Amino acid sequence: MKVLVINAGSSSLKYQLYNMTDESVLAKGLVERIGMDSSILNHKPTGKEEVTEVSEILEHTTAIRKVLDKLTDPEHGVIESIGEIEAVGHRVVHGGEYFKGSALVTPEVKAEIRRLFDLAPLHNPPAIMGINAAEINMPGVPQVVAFDTAFHQTMEEKVYLYPIPRVLYKKHHVRRYGAHGTSHQYVSRITAEYLDRSIEDLKIITCHIGNGASLTAVKGGVSVDTSMGLTPLEGLMMGTRSGDLDPTVVTFVMNKEDLSISEVNSMLNKHSGLLAISGSSSDMRDITDGWEEGKPNETLAFEMYEYRLRKYIGAYAAAMNGVDAIVFTAGVGENSVIVREKVLENLTYLGIEIDKELNKVRSGDPRRISTPNSKVEVLVIPTNEELMIARDTLNIVQESN
């Protein structure tokens, strides 16, 4: 079976086409600037020359049609006809409490995703646009949705509830949902495979650290706690998001600066984090460069980031009464040697010993960066959310037939 995986944003659309016989990527690409007359389609067919096309793409239906044209193009394509695509998998950020796993798309499923627009106003609406566009371009082809929140639906009530009036949960479903679930689930499974141990016997802390960042405590293969909350704003300090703060900061700043709800929401999501403290960049590479050069703002940003990350790791070790493995993944987690080093140097109380030379190795494969004497295994595992979505899509479609 060939499965097309789609991640639709408001003005972008990422895609990967898999041959699920061997889980190989046949092609991948990105459509940017949807809604403009100068949209960009970058198509990367495996084993063939990459191609970029600039044209008018005003909505997602046209975007997917152009993607399908490229996939079947005689020169740049990887399949002979659209009919070879037997299923489509979509990434959807928020599944609320309704979705505890991936699901076959039905009118009822789409209605539920729409009902959750309030919880993910920037992400769920584009996902629906992507689903509808795929249905128009590939009528009759089964569609599957995979949710960032689904993996965390195993959290207990004592973990996911906020200590606020319960009527807010009952009426508006105000609770912690988490995010990056597909990534946390994938790397925890790969961890068990790499260590050649049953995942049911492992306590794993997965660190998905990119521009957005979250940690998850995975015990026995299920999520028991995660750092993001009702929205992806809670938890760690991130590229442009504040992470945890006293809720009174919001009302205090709104009053002092005469800010609207939308303005303070923008401040916390788009103008905080590394960007706010450094005053220069939200990119950890720039922050690290500044820290190495001794720049005070970048140094403070780096130290705050490392401290908060380390504090959460310690909290999750406590939550699970121990930890067998710590895993770093995503952009910063996979690539920042110095972030991993500084965090691990300050976790020696857990019996962690880092091999600094192994930590410097750059590889696209899972690898261990702890010493043989370390009481906790520390791994770097490249995440692959698209492959997880493709696997779920394959399984669900096969089960439905």
Side-chain angles (χ1 to χ4, degrees):
M1 179 182 285
K2 294 183 178 68
V3 173
L4 179 63
V5 175
I6 291 173
N7 182 355
S10 58
S11 62
S12 66
L13 188 143
K14 296 179 183 178
Y15 64 93
Q16 290 198 29
L17 180 64
Y18 284 90
N19 181 346
M20 296 307 292
T21 303
D22 57 3
E23 296 187 338
S24 60
V25 177
L26 300 176
K28 61 182 177 180
L30 171 65
V31 184
E32 298 178 276
R33 298 164 62 92
I34 296 173
M36 304 182 69
D37 57 8
S38 57
S39 304
I40 303 168
L41 168 56
N42 184 246
H43 176 67
K44 300 177 181 179
T46 301
K48 296 185 178 182
E49 187 176 347
E50 181 179 330
V51 60
T52 299
E53 177 182 290
V54 179
S55 63
E56 181 180 82
I57 302 178
L58 298 181
E59 34 68 51
H60 288 69
T61 302
T62 303
I64 290 183
R65 178 173 57 78
K66 286 185 174 290
V67 166
L68 295 174
D69 287 345
K70 282 289 177 284
L71 290 172
T72 56
D73 183 84
E75 183 179 357
H76 303 290
V78 293
I79 54 176
E80 291 186 6
S81 70
I82 297 173
E84 292 185 42
I85 301 173
E86 298 176 70
V88 181
H90 298 266
R91 180 200 178 205
V92 182
V93 166
H94 220 299
E97 294 182 309
Y98 187 88
F99 296 103
K100 294 177 171 57
S102 299
L104 192 69
V105 173
T106 63
E108 293 75 21
V109 165
K110 289 202 290 184
E112 189 63 27
I113 294 172
R114 289 191 184 94
R115 194 183 66 79
L116 294 165
F117 277 7
D118 283 350
L119 292 178
L122 300 179
H123 297 96
N124 275 27
I128 283 290
M129 288 191 285
I131 293 166
N132 290 338
E135 288 178 336
I136 291 169
N137 281 281
M138 291 175 280
V141 176
Q143 317 266 331
V144 170
V145 281
F147 300 91
D148 280 12
T149 54
F151 183 56
H152 304 302
Q153 285 300 298
T154 49
M155 291 190 297
E156 295 181 10
E157 191 175 45
K158 66 181 181 183
V159 177
Y160 69 70
L161 281 181
Y162 290 113
I164 57 177
R166 290 198 68 179
V167 66
L168 296 173
Y169 169 64
K170 293 175 180 177
K171 288 178 64 177
H172 306 296
H173 307 284
V174 177
R175 52 158 286 181
R176 300 178 63 242
Y177 291 98
H180 298 142
T182 307
S183 175
H184 290 294
Q185 184 177 22
Y186 175 80
V187 298
S188 60
R189 288 180 180 179
I190 297 299
T191 297
E193 293 175 11
Y194 185 90
L195 298 176
D196 194 24
R197 294 179 61 182
S198 170
I199 197 167
E200 285 77 16
D201 298 330
L202 290 172
K203 299 173 182 176
I204 307 169
I205 298 174
T206 51
C207 309
H208 178 107
I209 311 169
N211 191 50
S214 65
L215 262 64
T216 295
V218 182
K219 186 176 183 180
V222 300
S223 170
V224 296
D225 202 350
T226 193
S227 59
M228 286 180 169
L230 175 72
T231 74
L233 183 59
E234 186 179 354
L236 301 171
M237 177 180 177
M238 307 176 216
T240 62
R241 296 181 189 137
S242 66
D244 293 341
L245 78 169
D246 180 347
T248 309
V249 170
V250 175
T251 53
F252 183 84
V253 171
M254 287 178 72
N255 182 55
K256 292 292 185 180
E257 297 292 326
D258 193 25
L259 298 180
S260 66
I261 292 174
S262 62
E263 286 172 330
V264 76
N265 190 49
S266 178
M267 178 191 77
L268 296 175
N269 280 283
K270 299 179 181 179
H271 306 285
S272 297
L274 290 173
L275 177 62
I277 301 301
S278 70
S280 60
S281 177
S282 62
D283 192 313
M284 179 53 74
R285 291 168 293 189
D286 297 332
I287 301 301
T288 302
D289 289 344
W291 172 78
E292 290 176 341
E293 295 168 12
K295 294 181 178 179
N297 291 347
E298 283 80 356
T299 297
L300 178 59
F302 180 89
E303 290 178 347
M304 288 176 64
Y305 186 96
E306 181 275 327
Y307 173 76
R308 288 171 172 236
L309 173 55
R310 173 164 43 94
K311 187 167 67 170
Y312 257 99
I313 291 174
Y316 286 174
M320 295 189 291
N321 191 26
V323 57
D324 298 303
I326 297 172
V327 185
F328 291 91
T329 193
V332 176
E334 293 171 31
N335 297 301
S336 180
V337 172
I338 196 64
V339 167
R340 296 192 300 262
E341 180 179 313
K342 291 302 177 183
V343 167
L344 296 170
E345 281 181 349
N346 288 295
L347 290 173
T348 54
Y349 76 97
L350 291 174
I352 292 174
E353 291 184 15
I354 181 176
D355 185 317
K356 291 188 177 182
E357 293 307 311
L358 287 179
N359 187 42
K360 293 176 183 177
V361 174
R362 296 191 179 274
S363 170
D365 299 319
R367 63 193 190 278
R368 180 186 279 107
I369 61 170
S370 50
T371 69
N373 294 326
S374 181
K375 293 181 180 179
V376 178
E377 301 275 9
V378 184
L379 308 177
V380 178
I381 298 178
T383 193
N384 197 334
E385 295 165 279
E386 291 81 9
L387 179 57
M388 276 293 295
I389 294 170
R391 287 174 177 174
D392 279 3
T393 300
L394 174 66
N395 292 335
I396 288 172
V397 170
Q398 287 180 337
E399 290 171 2
S400 68
N401 289 335

